[in-house]
Amino acid sequence: MKIKGRAEHSLWYYSQLFKVPLSLISDSNIHLHVNDTLDDKVINIPGYFVKEYDLAQNDSFDSLATKLNINTEALHLVNHGDLTNLTEYSKINIPVRVTEPIVNGEQKYTYLTMSEDIKRLEEIYPFMKTNTIGHSVQNREILEVIVGNGPKQVHMNGSFHANEWITTAVLMAFLNNYLLSITNQTSLAGLKTEPLYHNATLSLVPMVNPDGVELVLNGLANDDKSLEYVIALNEGSPDFSNWKANMNGVDLNKQFPAKWELEQPRKPQQPGPRDFPGYRPLSEPETMAMATLTMNSNFDRVIAFHTQCKEIYWGFDDREPPYSKIIVNEFVKNSGYRPVQTLDSYSGFKDWFIYEWKKPGFTVELGEGENPLPITQFKNIYDESIGIFLAGLYM
Ligand SMILES: [Zn+2]
């Protein structure tokens, strides 16, 4: 929520008044300069929204504050000091602390749902930043969110593969619960999370392949220009539930320049619903966006979430550092998933990260069964993998 600042106040004062860590208030107000007076400035307070309240007979400011268990000063601030001439039935603003997540991951989690959730999270938690890192074939924005001010740069992503869209739902639930927990200083899965905020800066791209996810979840409109083409790629079938690729029929996780030339000859030579590595590495806008983001960032580790089989791949071409094994062992302890050092597979995103930077990179295969995993697995997957998300930030 937004309040109007006063000259005699400091951000520290607001942190005490609203019981929100000072670092989160500072990071929510980067438009302010250190020596600015707060007088009349708009101040973002994370973790609250403002609700209208009808004054009842005999309500006074003090009695109302007691009744609603809020500080009288907080009440003044959300009403911008304009509290003269109150009468019965006047409407006033009251600050309401957000104590529940707003993301519901247990549903067909579409691109639109994700975009709207990100917007709402940004409003409630203005210390979270959002960037557009590129556009998909069908011109959807590929979104990255950033949370934290720690030195360790941790990147996570989901839905490289369209029919693995449940990974986006799980990551968005992690994100929301993490934001909620650091703001309210509650624990998440038994862990105090505020130190993680200062330990790591999280870069999260929850949906790398938005067109593919939309194709799987909603199909295409009859007048969509791509309809005929993708039905042809899909061997004439309008059932896209097993589609993995992007809208050009390229498998985005076989597109990276890490021994691509070994993968290419043994995979399909033509576009299709899965496994086609493209005519050259990074030919697709989605993979180019991810590569550019990675080259322009200084990630210390990356974790790509896929489905399924409860395995964690953690090596590539003997180039992973020794620390990768320590991290994967922590992931395994927290999730019960199996560690697998190397696979006969090349040119994935995490392969390229290890190959190019020799830093820890992981592919986590969530859940078990057959893709696409039913959304009824959501809660189980969340519970078994939240420890991977957290270890990704604290290790
Ligand atoms: Zn996958």
Side-chain angles (χ1 to χ4, degrees):
M1 70 179 178
K2 294 179 189 309
I3 59 170
K4 204 176 268 182
R6 298 234 182 117
E8 66 272 27
H9 292 165
S10 64
L11 293 185
W12 175 81
Y13 173 77
Y14 295 139
S15 126
Q16 300 300 300
L17 187 64
F18 293 106
K19 299 188 175 59
V20 173
L22 176 60
S23 56
L24 300 185
I25 299 207
S26 301
D27 291 350
S28 297
N29 291 285
I30 48 174
H31 59 286
L32 299 175
H33 297 105
V34 182
N35 296 323
D36 275 359
T37 162
L38 300 185
D39 199 27
D40 240 19
K41 295 268 170 23
V42 173
I43 316 284
N44 294 310
I45 305 293
Y48 285 84
F49 65 93
V50 170
K51 202 169 104 178
E52 271 194 346
Y53 177 88
D54 294 314
L55 281 181
Q57 205 177 7
N58 300 327
D59 267 346
S60 76
F61 245 59
D62 289 338
S63 71
L64 191 57
T66 311
K67 187 159 99 187
L68 299 169
N69 192 25
I70 36 185
N71 189 298
T72 315
E73 183 64 30
L75 215 44
H76 279 280
L77 282 166
V78 296
N79 288 285
H80 310 299
D82 185 19
L83 293 167
T84 44
N85 305 323
L86 285 178
T87 57
E88 192 183 346
Y89 309 121
S90 293
K91 284 184 193 307
I92 64 161
N93 293 326
I94 55 169
V96 180
R97 185 158 202 134
V98 178
T99 56
E100 295 292 328
I102 56 126
V103 169
N104 169 20
E106 206 166 356
Q107 58 170 321
K108 269 171 65 170
Y109 203 80
T110 64
Y111 177 71
L112 184 66
T113 308
M114 178 196 73
S115 310
E116 287 177 351
D117 280 350
I118 288 176
K119 241 179 249 150
R120 288 173 71 199
L121 289 173
E122 230 181 346
E123 267 167 38
I124 303 172
Y125 307 103
F127 54 88
M128 177 183 111
K129 307 293 175 229
T130 307
N131 299 317
T132 299
I133 61 160
H135 293 82
S136 65
V137 171
Q138 292 192 316
N139 209 31
R140 290 187 173 91
E141 290 181 53
I142 302 172
L143 300 175
E144 177 202 29
V145 300
I146 296 179
V147 182
N149 59 20
K152 203 169 294 177
Q153 306 292 316
V154 177
H155 171 77
M156 302 188 195
N157 63 58
S159 293
F160 251 95
H161 287 141
N163 63 347
E164 301 172 7
W165 57 266
I166 197 170
T167 55
T168 300
V170 171
L171 283 168
M172 288 297 295
F174 289 160
L175 173 68
N176 193 168
N177 287 325
Y178 180 48
L179 294 166
L180 188 62
S181 146
I182 48 187
T183 307
N184 291 354
Q185 297 163 83
T186 51
S187 62
L188 177 57
L191 191 74
K192 281 268 173 235
T193 50
E194 204 195 330
L196 305 191
Y197 186 83
H198 303 291
N199 184 51
T201 301
L202 169 67
S203 147
L204 173 66
V205 178
M207 194 182 285
V208 175
N209 182 7
D211 301 348
V213 169
E214 282 305 298
L215 184 65
V216 169
L217 289 179
N218 291 323
L220 280 180
N222 286 332
D223 58 351
D224 195 299
K225 293 194 299 282
S226 317
L227 186 61
E228 218 172 298
Y229 178 65
V230 291
I231 285 186
L233 295 187
N234 207 31
E235 292 172 350
S237 167
D239 174 6
F240 295 105
S241 55
N242 265 315
W243 187 275
K244 287 177 86 172
N246 75 347
M247 290 308 275
N248 290 332
V250 176
D251 190 317
L252 299 178
N253 207 36
K254 299 204 176 296
Q255 262 272 290
F256 288 84
K259 303 205 163 180
W260 179 87
E261 61 288 352
L262 298 183
E263 196 74 356
Q264 189 271 335
R266 61 183 188 172
K267 290 294 173 189
Q269 300 298 303
Q270 299 295 328
R274 54 183 295 158
D275 298 333
F276 174 56
Y279 295 110
R280 58 186 167 82
L282 304 182
S283 59
E284 301 308 296
E286 296 89 352
T287 46
M288 202 43 162
M290 289 302 293
T292 306
L293 172 71
T294 309
M295 288 186 291
N296 292 341
S297 307
N298 188 21
F299 297 142
D300 291 299
R301 72 184 59 137
V302 303
I303 310 171
F305 288 85
H306 289 248
T307 59
Q308 45 69 32
C309 70
K310 300 192 176 188
E311 286 181 339
I312 306 171
Y313 309 120
W314 60 278
F316 184 74
D317 202 37
D318 290 326
R319 291 185 188 228
E320 66 281 7
Y323 191 49
S324 293
K325 188 170 187 175
I326 297 171
I327 299 177
V328 82
N329 282 340
E330 189 76 6
F331 289 173
V332 166
K333 277 187 233 162
N334 292 2
S335 64
Y337 285 14
R338 286 176 299 277
V340 177
Q341 187 167 8
T342 43
L343 280 180
D344 179 24
S345 172
Y346 305 98
S347 67
F349 172 74
K350 83 102 174 62
D351 302 336
W352 175 66
F353 184 74
I354 298 172
Y355 188 77
E356 211 45 64
W357 283 274
K358 302 186 180 67
K359 290 181 185 177
F362 306 90
T363 296
V364 177
E365 298 282 353
L366 297 173
E368 65 189 348
E370 235 178 80
N371 284 337
L373 295 183
I375 195 63
T376 48
Q377 277 208 23
F378 174 84
K379 196 174 173 333
N380 279 346
I381 291 178
Y382 177 93
D383 288 344
E384 65 202 16
S385 58
I386 180 75
I388 297 176
F389 172 79
L390 294 171
L393 299 173
Y394 70 68
M395 287 294 286

